[in-house]
Amino acid sequence: MNERKKNVMTNMRKKLFANVMIFFLIIFVCLSSFNLKVFASTNLYSSTNSILINLKSNSYKLIKTDTGKVKIEMDDFSNGVIPNKPALPGKVFNVLLPPLSTLKSVEIINETKEDLGYGYRVVETPPLISDSGPLSFDNENEDFSVVKTLETSDMRKWHFVRIRFVPFEYTEYNGHLVLVKDVTLKITFDKNNQVPESLLKDDVLDNFAKGMFINYDSAKELGYVNPASYSKTSTTGTSNQPTYLILTTSTIQTSHVLDDFIRLKSAFGFNVSVVTVDSNDIQNQKGRDLPEKIRNYLKSVYIANNIKYVLIIGSINTIPMRYCYPNPTYHDNSNGFDPEQHKIPTDYYYADLTGDWDSDNDGYFGEYGQDNIDLTPDVIVGRIPFDDALTVSNVLSRIKQYILDTTGSWKKKALLLGAITNYKNENSTGWDKTDGAAIMEAMWNDFLKPNGYTRTTMYEKEGLSPSTYTCDYPLNEDNVVTHWKNDGGYGIVAWYAHGLQNVALRQIWEQDKNNDGVPQRDDENPDINEMKWLPFISVNDAKNLDTNHPSVVFSGSCLNSYPENLNNLSASLLKYSCASVIGSTRESWGSAGWNSPDYSSNATIEYYTLKHYASDNMSLGDAFFKAKVDNANLPGTEWKTLANTYDFNLYGDPSLTSGQLLSPPVLDHFDFSVIRNQPVNTPFEITITAKDQYGNTYTGFNSSVTLSVNKGTISPTVTSNFVNGVLSNFKVSISDINPDVTITATSQDGKSGTSNSFNVNPVITTSSAGQGGSVSPSGNVMVDYGDSATFIITPDKGYKVSDVKVDGVSVMSNLIDNNDGSYTYIFNSVTSCHTIEANFAGNTCTITALAGQGGTITPSGTVVVNAGTNQTFTITPNPGYHIDDVKVDGVSIGAVSTYTFEDVVVNHTIEASFEREQIVIVLQVGQTSFTVNGSPNTLDSPPIIKNGRTLLPIRPVVEALGGTVSWDGTE
Ligand SMILES: [Ca+2]
Ligand SMILES: [Ca+2]
Ligand SMILES: [Ca+2]
Ligand SMILES: [Ca+2]
């Protein structure tokens, strides 16, 4: 590939079809089976440091192809051991070794061979291919050894070695073919005599072990102990139950959305525990980053705490997945590939706790051939990839709904969606057509139909090369959404298709533009491209599905679970409608022309997951991880197998089961609605709900319960009868003041439930005697137990605070003067009831009223006035006087005859002064008329001038001046 093309490809991958699946091709010919299933047997040496293992070949056929070459088909063996090399059958056997032993050697000590002669030309295993052509794959060091020791592996206590058996020897230059009918191996090891008993007793994944090891029957001789031989010494009856660990954030933990789910899991036999990523348990672990600390934590506790399931609740932003690099040469884009596609986020890192995921210590985890990862899980991991409590609560409710729904047969209905992911000889590659319908049909025939399932099928019916399988409806988005929504629910929805982060896609060979009979796909060049792409399910559809029957979904597509996009298709389905979704976080890898689970492929993981789930009575997580083990045990393992192992992740509950309830619902406990702090001796409402062992309302409870409190006395103590499991708005009161009070409801048969804790609080009763002011706050004031309480006593206008009594005792000396007439009183550490009473008195001012000589002021003297009222003064001069001036508080306001003080709030003075009148009498000599200040008047006799003097009659003059004249006859 030249540089330009590389860049073009890189850019192309960022576009719509950048992220479609890449395939490797395995030729397959369908043959009848001989059904001979015995592969191997085991004998033990008397020496306990080695064992003998006998590996047997199986029935086979040699089939001549059109080209004159020969295909070798062997029952239950896979083809395609090494890409680009002759396609010899192969199989990987897991050989159990003693616990914690060290493998020393694997020797062939006997072989039985049959010479098949010369001249065979065996077909080649197709190259590994992708959209951009065959990938270079360094298989120079691969060999066709009849026996190849792969690696040792650990699954909790189970320690084993994986051995590949290729039961043919083939010499290419002369076509010599030899069948190796069976081979006997001597496997030597050093035993470990320090195996902890806790490890030996561990039986959490024993269901995996069954059928996994060819020498499982010899486990006891190898040093494994049958767990059943241990007496269960637990007194609680729960210590041997597997633990369900929820790993989440403190936000989720403290939100209480986990409460019902924990009850549900407990009812299904788990010890449930919760750990948060910010806890010391995890933060104090060693590790380069948070994922490593989490994994080290899990490593430290999974055996001791009997942990089987780990449910991660949180997006990758809060609880990261581990980025892994299955192809160690794809750390960057130097190969023309988008490095993002080769940096695969996975939770498998938290499932395998025995491997060393960066044993070459270069910071790139999970590298094929360079890091000693271990393809067996030690705990079963699922994730609810959301951080907000409401979404998590909704998802947990739906999971619970799925588990507890025992109505109808919808859980045994399967919606099977098969798209075509590449056409035969697409781009002249010679690849077989890959029709998802073939995968759906295989699952249907092999385990769904035999286990009583029904199905609805939708396959590709458009284009020049539609699916040759018959189906119920053509595959398209309308049909998928309509039937998923309206058919009464599907327990399983499975598809195989191309995918992007938000859609699963159909690839349709729309037209043969150049009439060459070859399907041309060129996503960049529309003139050449003959393909059309259409979604058949997208994030927009997720809200429009059947939420009453939440499905278990297997998305056999690339990228649908892309975790950096929190609204990827899988997460959206989980968020809005489904119970659990398995999908791929990056490109996943398929084999072109897949039609058998014997080929390592994304389809193989899908096939085995649903097989184990539907027919092997396994939980979804067990089924899924077992399928990964199955897939990894197929020969031909290389980095793409690892990529598929990392790619597929479970969104949802790893312990999800489709089976029946363990027992019918019975009354299990009571739940209270949240009770807030309450005042003592004051009736308040409570609501109590009867719950069954699964956390659902137990509607069969219509009786009454006895109420009790941990502190104090509650009344009444017997409730009225529940209605359909609920007692609504029942009023109780509690007669003692205490913090942290709880109410417990107990049924006649001893089932109980306890409320949240709340305070029964003291009350401070306020009052004010008479009028004149107020106390704030007023009335009966509840004070939280032990808190302080502040009251402000404020007089009305014209009043003052005359006394304040607390519990009947004056506290005037303890008041805080606010300097505005109001006062503050503080109760400290209130733990009992109190009273506070305020008294007010009217307030007065004085006005000093003074009048000078020549008049009066009324009222006068010291005048007492109620504050806030008005007071009027009247100033009156004596005859012959007039008002000279009036001064209020020393300031002249002029010669007014009245003055009113308005809204008197302080003392005042008022002073009036007077002045004598001047009188002008005009007399004329000889005239009896005269004027007094201009007013005419009459004299008895006119003034006369006599002897040079002017004589006046005295009486009118004196009277004009305000006097009187009279005669005293005695003088
Ligand atoms: Ca590494
Ligand atoms: Ca490396
Ligand atoms: Ca492991
Ligand atoms: Ca063409």
Side-chain angles (χ1 to χ4, degrees), residues 288 325 328 331 356-368 370-372:
R288 282 167 279 189
Y325 298 80
H331 297 153
D356 185 345
W357 283 59
D358 186 23
S359 52
D360 70 352
N361 206 29
D362 63 356
Y364 295 105
F365 286 73
E367 297 171 292
Y368 178 72
Q370 297 186 4
D371 293 324
N372 294 324

Side-chain angles (χ1 to χ4, degrees), residues 154-155 352-355 374 376-378:
D154 294 278
M155 190 176 72
D352 167 48
L353 301 175
T354 55
D374 184 356
T376 50
D378 302 289

Side-chain angles (χ1 to χ4, degrees), residues 31-39 57-61 73-77 598:
L31 285 177
S32 62
S33 166
F34 290 86
N35 290 323
L36 184 60
K37 298 290 185 185
V38 179
F39 306 127
S57 63
N58 206 346
S59 305
Y60 71 97
K61 277 199 169 182
E73 287 286 342
M74 181 171 281
D75 286 354
D76 285 309
F77 277 65
D598 289 340

Side-chain angles (χ1 to χ4, degrees), residues 635-655:
T637 296
E638 43 95 14
W639 69 266
K640 289 173 187 172
T641 302
L642 278 193
N644 278 340
T645 300
Y646 302 155
D647 267 326
F648 283 93
N649 284 273
L650 169 60
Y651 288 168
D653 172 17
S655 74

Side-chain angles (χ1 to χ4, degrees), residues 13-208:
R13 283 167 185 283
K14 292 172 183 164
K15 295 177 187 172
L16 177 63
F17 304 113
N19 301 314
V20 296
M21 286 184 294
I22 301 172
F23 301 97
F24 65 97
L25 178 62
I26 298 169
I27 292 175
F28 181 90
V29 177
C30 196
L31 285 177
S32 62
S33 166
F34 290 86
N35 290 323
L36 184 60
K37 298 290 185 185
V38 179
F39 306 127
S41 62
T42 309
N43 292 303
L44 293 172
Y45 267 152
S46 54
S47 159
T48 55
N49 286 328
S50 63
I51 53 175
L52 292 182
I53 298 290
N54 186 245
L55 306 178
K56 289 187 189 319
S57 63
N58 206 346
S59 305
Y60 71 97
K61 277 199 169 182
L62 304 179
I63 305 129
K64 272 234 156 127
T65 67
D66 295 344
T67 59
K69 290 188 176 180
V70 65
K71 276 183 183 173
I72 308 171
E73 287 286 342
M74 181 171 281
D75 286 354
D76 285 309
F77 277 65
S78 171
N79 273 337
V81 173
I82 304 172
N84 287 319
K85 297 285 177 75
L88 300 181
K91 190 175 177 70
V92 173
F93 294 89
N94 293 328
V95 180
L96 198 59
L97 302 175
L100 299 183
S101 60
T102 304
L103 180 67
K104 302 296 285 185
S105 63
V106 178
E107 303 166 63
I108 299 174
I109 58 169
N110 190 42
E111 291 178 286
T112 310
K113 297 184 182 180
E114 179 184 343
D115 194 330
L116 302 180
Y118 292 82
Y120 296 96
R121 289 194 301 136
V122 175
V123 297
E124 290 180 342
T125 300
L128 299 166
I129 55 173
S130 76
D131 282 347
S132 49
L135 272 178
S136 63
F137 176 61
D138 180 14
N139 57 13
E140 295 306 308
N141 297 325
E142 289 288 344
D143 62 64
F144 280 98
S145 310
V146 170
V147 170
K148 184 178 182 188
T149 303
L150 300 174
E151 70 275 327
T152 58
S153 184
D154 294 278
M155 190 176 72
R156 301 183 81 104
K157 71 186 170 192
W158 305 100
H159 180 61
F160 60 99
V161 59
R162 300 170 71 236
I163 294 175
R164 190 188 72 194
F165 176 38
V166 177
F168 286 93
E169 291 172 345
Y170 179 57
T171 312
E172 215 165 346
Y173 78 91
N174 61 7
H176 189 202
L177 194 60
V178 176
L179 170 68
V180 183
K181 287 180 156 179
D182 70 83
V183 54
T184 302
L185 307 178
K186 181 184 177 184
I187 300 175
T188 309
F189 43 77
D190 280 345
K191 288 183 85 170
N192 185 326
N193 295 319
Q194 308 289 323
V195 183
E197 194 179 2
S198 59
L199 186 66
L200 283 179
K201 278 174 139 177
D202 183 84
D203 61 355
V204 166
L205 284 185
D206 281 8
N207 60 329
F208 269 67

